[in-house]
Amino acid sequence: MNKLRVVAYCRVSTNQEEQESSLETQTSYYRKLISERESWQLVKIYAERASGTQMKKRPEFMKMVKACRQGKIDVV
């Protein structure tokens, strides 16, 4: 059985200390969630500190979109 290639995208919008722990919490949550599914394979967790709504200011998000378009990801 082929496993689904899964990624997660985690983001906080500021560099404040509580946001830093939020980013760590998000990445830990998704790492655990994905690892618990036998049919899922963790490809990558895209994580960044970025404010604003413009995608061009979110390089990790753009990398994830590119990987999706290239067919390297099954589930986000």
Side-chain angles (χ1 to χ4, degrees):
M1 175 175 142
N2 290 336
K3 291 187 174 192
L4 291 173
R5 299 164 298 172
V6 181
V7 302
Y9 176 70
C10 304
R11 181 182 77 87
V12 294
S13 61
T14 68
N15 286 325
Q16 295 177 345
E17 186 174 329
E18 63 270 8
Q19 291 293 312
E20 183 65 32
S21 65
S22 174
L23 190 59
E24 291 173 14
T25 300
Q26 289 177 56
T27 57
S28 293
Y29 171 81
Y30 285 111
R31 192 174 305 281
K32 182 179 184 296
L33 177 74
I34 294 166
S35 71
E36 290 174 345
R37 306 297 192 279
E38 284 188 30
S39 61
W40 289 6
Q41 174 188 357
L42 175 61
V43 173
K44 184 173 182 174
I45 295 181
Y46 294 89
E48 64 192 342
R49 290 162 204 80
S51 62
T53 57
Q54 296 179 344
M55 283 191 261
K56 66 182 179 182
K57 293 184 179 180
R58 297 183 187 176
E60 288 298 299
F61 181 82
M62 296 307 294
K63 288 176 188 175
M64 180 183 69
V65 169
K66 182 179 179 181
C68 287
R69 288 182 175 152
Q70 292 173 336
K72 296 178 179 178
I73 298 170
D74 299 312
V75 177
V76 177

